[in-house]
Amino acid sequence: MVLANIALAFGPWFVRLADVGPVAAAFWRITLAAPLIVAMAAATGGRPRGVTPGVLLWAAFAGVAFAGDLATWHLGIVRTTLANATLFGNVATLIFPIYGFVVARALPNRAQAVALVLATAGGALLMGRSYQADPRHLAGDLLSLVAGILYAIYFIAMARARAAMAPLPTLALSSLASILPLLLFSTLLGERIVPGQWGALIGLALASQVLGQGLMIYALGRLSPLVVGIALLIQPGVAAAIGWLAYGERLALPDLAGALLVAAALVLVRRAS
């Protein structure tokens, strides 16, 4: 879990280092990683057999939602601090339980309600600070927040597909379904797609999609929700350190306060679940 979060935290840095557009970087993240994921799915013998078209549609829809998540998140990464992009990109941890409340037609318990209040307060403080530092940072925060919402939709669709399919085939199908939307979106934005240097894109694919997601999937079934929630805080911490060392993105006291409020919310909602 620790290694997964460290690997995932390096993703935004690789996006900035890439010499293609941010959405094109997302396209290459999936395209370069997909053959490895498909090969792993085939090696485990978990080929998607005997599943209904509805299940396949859920996996494809998950891929489209993930494409939207990556596109908006990568656009946000280049417009705000690495720490804020990572924090807001993880709000799916809060949104997914809200979906559970809606489905169950139940109100959140006390810990979950406190988590939502803390997240709202911390997010508002971070966005206010971003706007004061640079109005463009606010746009990056909002894009990262939209990415977090789309990531929650991805979780929901993957959960529906996972009800009938094994993890790796589901991940392989959803990854393949996200490639074309990302290519079309980056083309519509007029981004540079073909890189001059491949190092950052290969690092992004291996660190975020193969190593980070792979280790995360392995660890999720073996750790408690509280441990997972606390471990998630490694990502914004590492991202903040990278932003400070590489780009001079220093956090002031109000920034730290807002980040701690959101971090506390992430831990609380995981513990409450």
Side-chain angles (χ1 to χ4, degrees), residues 91-109 112 116 152-153 155-157 159-160 269 272-273:
V91 297
T93 307
L94 293 163
I95 297 169
F96 195 53
I98 295 176
Y99 165 76
F101 305 148
V102 175
V103 171
R105 297 182 181 180
L107 294 174
N109 60 34
Q112 291 165 333
L116 294 174
I153 296 173
F155 278 161
I156 295 167
R160 300 294 292 267
V269 79
S273 63

Side-chain angles (χ1 to χ4, degrees), residues 29-44 66 167-176 205 208-211 213-214 217:
R29 164 181 167 169
I30 301 298
T31 302
L32 293 174
L36 289 174
I37 297 172
V38 171
M40 288 188 293
T44 59
F66 190 54
L168 279 175
T170 309
L171 181 61
L173 286 174
S174 64
S175 297
L176 292 173
S208 294
Q209 198 65 21
V210 177
L211 185 62
Q213 293 291 345
I217 290 172

Side-chain angles (χ1 to χ4, degrees), residues 103-196:
V103 171
R105 297 182 181 180
L107 294 174
N109 60 34
R110 182 179 300 176
Q112 291 165 333
V114 171
L116 294 174
V117 172
L118 290 177
T120 302
L125 182 57
L126 283 172
M127 287 186 181
R129 286 286 303 166
S130 292
Y131 183 78
Q132 291 175 17
D134 187 337
R136 291 173 298 180
H137 287 181
L138 179 60
D141 287 348
L142 291 173
L143 283 166
S144 300
L145 183 60
V146 171
I149 295 171
L150 289 169
Y151 199 33
I153 296 173
Y154 164 76
F155 278 161
I156 295 167
M158 284 292 278
R160 300 294 292 267
R162 276 283 291 112
M165 293 175 61
L168 279 175
T170 309
L171 181 61
L173 286 174
S174 64
S175 297
L176 292 173
S178 66
I179 292 175
L180 183 57
L182 286 169
L183 179 59
L184 290 175
F185 194 18
S186 59
T187 302
L188 288 173
L189 290 175
E191 294 184 348
R192 177 180 178 179
I193 297 176
V194 180

Side-chain angles (χ1 to χ4, degrees), residues 56-68:
L56 295 176
L57 284 175
W58 274 115
F61 176 69
V64 174
F66 190 54

